[in-house]
Amino acid sequence: MEDEPTDHDKYQPPRGDGAPPDPSRRDFLRAGALSTLALGSGALAAPAPAGPRRTTTGAIANPGQAKNVIFLVSDGMSAGTLTMADLLLRRHYDRRSHWMRLYESHGEYEVRRGVMDMASRNALVTDSAAASTSWGAGHRVNNGAVAMGPGGEAHRTVLETFRDAGRDTGLVTTTRITHATPAGFGTNVPSRGMEDEIAGQYLEREYDVLLGGGHRHYTPGERDDGRDLHQEHEDAGYSVVRTKEELAAWNRLGPVLGTFAGSHVPYTLDRRTIPAHREEVPTLEAMTEAALERLDRNRDGFILQIEGGRVDHAAHGNDVAGMLYDQIAFDNAIGRVLSFVEGRDDTLVIITTDHGNANPGLSSGADDFDRIADYERTNNWIFSELDEDSTYREIKSRVEQAWQHGITRDQAHALQQALRGEHDALYEARSGPSSVLAKIQANYTGVNWISGSHTADYVELAALGPGSEAVGAFTRNTDLFELMVEAAGVTDYVES
């Protein structure tokens, strides 16, 4: 499932019984409402006063000290996702997650940790396009828009700013490279669905490193305009790589375009257990390593966004194993970044997520949770061979092949009904096959979900390196743009 905003993402005010509150309660509610307006979406808040804009970040001790900026995004990561990935690593791989190790470093890293308000301009629950734009252009925009305001105004992006300041630029992702999160750092389109146009803008703006999925947006037979953007990139001096082997062989010189799948890069769990994926598709860590080796050649520095985008997709599908193994793949990329910055004092690192998704949580015993370590396929793989005509025996066999444990005939029958559109949950949004399969899975893993949609949670934010001292306990999403450009000393190029 794609990361598109749905009706469930739209804020609905609570319904009351019409009775006026008592005076003390009225004062309390009024104070709460004012706080909500101050922290909520830009469309709800009063216009900003003239003069310097107040931010939620503090002062940067030495502006311009950050030669490099690395911005890591685990797309759609709820707090439970971070927790469960760490638990899975501790219990079955004998290590902490790199993210949690930062918090337990006991002085090895000077890490600032807080939470961040990710509301978009028109909703308390953001989508990835508006979320990425808030960091990548410093503005809250409507859900679905990529660095463009409601009147069609294009906001200058952080990759353009760093490029014009002589820094190199890079985007690495497990989604299509043209997807919402990478696009929000470097392009301007009114709708995130305009991925053919996003691909063209990357070329026009001459970004240095582009690694992810999405070669359908570069192939003439699949683009509406028939352009061969792979060839156009080669003509412009780019190395074009399409496989894990070609990425490894690339000499790390000049700009590079890597598209390793027609759409998104395969889920990590499926890549681990399907030989063709494992042989052809690089990991997020490998893409990150290649990008860092190339970008670090610029003596003036660089900016790099790294996205673990399929965490979000698995959360939409309530696929616990798919989600956790992609979160671990993202955590491996964090580890590669930490190795890069070891012994250096010139790189600002920001680690966060753009929004929660479905808010999964472990609510049963560890013995149940441990089953996830034996899973061999994602729920997405299960559904790839099932439809409304599947028998309950076929369903049962497919699920058991993926999960490596049995399910009951009644459970298989319930999924069969959902595939046929005959399952009616009291909460209608939970009637679909993904929701029903997740409920079945919860009996065996102890992991439950509140929805299949993005959530309005304040999100986890961690930062280290020059400029990170300005990060406080609570941050507004748009303030990270100013933090990056000030820490890197490129503010003169913001309005160029």
Side-chain angles (χ1 to χ4, degrees):
M1 182 181 295
E2 296 291 336
D3 164 40
E4 303 293 344
T6 69
D7 288 340
H8 301 293
D9 293 327
K10 298 175 182 176
Y11 173 67
Q12 298 293 328
R15 297 177 181 176
D17 59 8
D22 59 62
S24 59
R25 179 173 165 80
R26 182 185 295 114
D27 291 342
F28 173 79
L29 291 175
R30 180 175 181 274
L34 290 174
S35 298
T36 300
L37 288 176
L39 298 175
S41 64
L44 298 177
R53 189 168 72 83
R54 295 176 63 187
T55 70
T56 53
T57 54
I60 293 175
N62 297 294
Q65 189 176 351
K67 183 174 101 170
N68 312 312
V69 174
I70 304 174
F71 197 109
L72 296 109
V73 185
S74 176
D75 197 302
M77 187 198 77
S78 300
T81 307
L82 180 62
T83 301
M84 289 187 290
D86 185 64
L87 291 174
L88 189 60
L89 285 168
R90 287 169 56 197
R91 295 180 68 82
H92 295 279
Y93 298 90
D94 197 29
R95 73 170 178 88
R96 301 300 308 261
S97 68
H98 294 292
W99 195 330
M100 295 308 297
R101 183 168 65 87
L102 281 174
Y103 296 158
E104 296 183 338
S105 63
H106 306 296
E108 180 183 358
Y109 299 99
E110 292 187 22
V111 182
R112 271 66 179 188
R113 180 187 184 186
V115 295
M116 180 163 49
D117 171 19
M118 288 303 304
S120 69
R121 182 182 182 277
N122 67 333
L124 295 180
V125 181
T126 190
D127 85 319
S128 292
S132 184
T133 295
S134 70
W135 307 318
H139 293 268
R140 284 186 167 175
V141 299
N142 292 346
N143 282 350
V146 179
M148 290 193 75
E153 60 275 22
H155 301 303
R156 184 168 172 79
T157 64
V158 70
L159 260 62
E160 293 173 284
T161 298
F162 274 66
R163 177 203 63 196
D164 291 351
R167 313 289 176 95
D168 277 358
T169 54
L171 299 169
V172 172
T173 181
T174 53
T175 67
R176 296 186 294 271
I177 190 63
T178 51
H179 214 234
T181 301
F185 264 46
T187 67
N188 306 93
V189 290
S191 171
R192 57 180 289 173
M194 301 170 67
E195 295 190 46
D196 284 359
E197 290 80 358
I198 290 167
Q201 285 190 27
Y202 286 154
L203 177 59
E204 293 166 5
R205 298 181 182 188
E206 300 179 333
Y207 299 139
D208 298 290
V209 174
L210 302 165
L211 301 176
H215 61 237
R216 73 188 194 192
H217 295 292
Y218 292 81
T219 304
E222 299 187 64
R223 289 178 56 93
D224 291 339
D225 58 12
R227 291 175 66 184
D228 185 343
L229 281 186
H230 282 122
Q231 186 60 53
E232 290 186 34
H233 276 76
E234 286 189 356
D235 293 344
Y238 281 73
S239 296
V240 174
V241 295
R242 301 279 293 272
T243 66
K244 170 185 173 181
E245 184 178 3
E246 290 177 353
L247 178 65
W250 169 50
N251 61 11
R252 287 14 178 202
L253 297 174
V256 63
L257 168 66
T259 56
F260 305 106
S263 182
H264 305 303
V265 171
Y267 284 110
T268 297
L269 181 57
D270 291 335
R271 182 192 176 280
R272 232 178 39 155
T273 54
I274 297 175
H277 292 342
R278 193 167 58 250
E279 293 165 7
E280 296 175 8
V281 181
T283 63
L284 182 60
E285 181 182 8
M287 289 190 280
T288 297
E289 180 174 11
L292 289 171
E293 290 173 352
R294 160 60 185 85
L295 295 171
D296 196 37
R297 292 177 178 273
N298 187 329
R299 294 180 180 178
D300 293 325
F302 64 84
I303 183 170
L304 172 64
Q305 185 206 86
I306 302 164
E307 183 201 19
R310 305 229 64 192
V311 174
D312 179 68
H313 297 166
H316 275 300
N318 289 180
D319 183 348
V320 61
M323 179 188 70
L324 292 183
Y325 279 100
D326 262 72
Q327 178 66 28
I328 289 171
F330 175 78
D331 194 72
N332 290 339
I334 294 176
R336 182 62 190 85
V337 169
L338 294 180
S339 295
F340 175 81
V341 301
E342 187 174 356
R344 311 177 60 135
D345 61 0
D346 63 353
T347 303
L348 169 63
V349 178
I350 297 171
I351 309 172
T352 189
T353 180
D354 50 356
H355 48 72
N357 191 341
N359 284 13
L362 177 61
S363 55
S364 187
D367 290 343
D368 291 337
F369 180 73
D370 286 340
R371 282 195 175 100
I372 296 171
D374 297 323
Y375 280 27
E376 293 193 350
R377 298 284 194 276
T378 61
N379 291 359
N380 184 71
W381 177 89
I382 292 172
F383 284 122
S384 68
E385 294 292 333
L386 297 180
D387 57 30
E388 65 273 10
D389 296 322
S390 298
T391 68
Y392 84 86
R393 289 186 180 87
E394 291 171 336
I395 293 169
K396 192 171 185 291
S397 174
R398 186 80 174 169
V399 172
E400 291 172 359
Q401 184 180 351
W403 294 354
Q404 298 297 294
H405 63 71
I407 64 172
T408 69
R409 174 174 176 166
D410 287 344
Q411 289 167 345
H413 181 64
L415 184 55
Q416 182 185 50
Q417 288 183 305
L419 288 163
R420 294 174 177 174
E422 298 171 354
H423 180 80
D424 296 317
L426 292 177
Y427 177 37
E428 294 176 2
R430 307 297 287 154
S431 297
S434 294
S435 298
V436 172
L437 185 58
K439 292 174 187 174
I440 295 169
Q441 194 172 53
N443 290 292
Y444 302 98
T445 64
V447 178
N448 279 280
W449 312 74
I450 67 165
S451 72
S453 302
H454 296 176
T455 59
D457 307 41
Y458 297 145
V459 303
E460 190 77 21
L461 172 63
L464 61 151
S468 64
E469 67 276 3
V471 173
F474 186 86
T475 299
R476 178 183 166 102
N477 50 6
T478 52
D479 290 340
L480 288 189
F481 175 85
E482 295 187 24
L483 176 67
M484 289 187 285
V485 298
E486 290 181 13
V490 297
T491 53
D492 289 347
Y493 298 88
V494 171
E495 299 300 332
S496 297

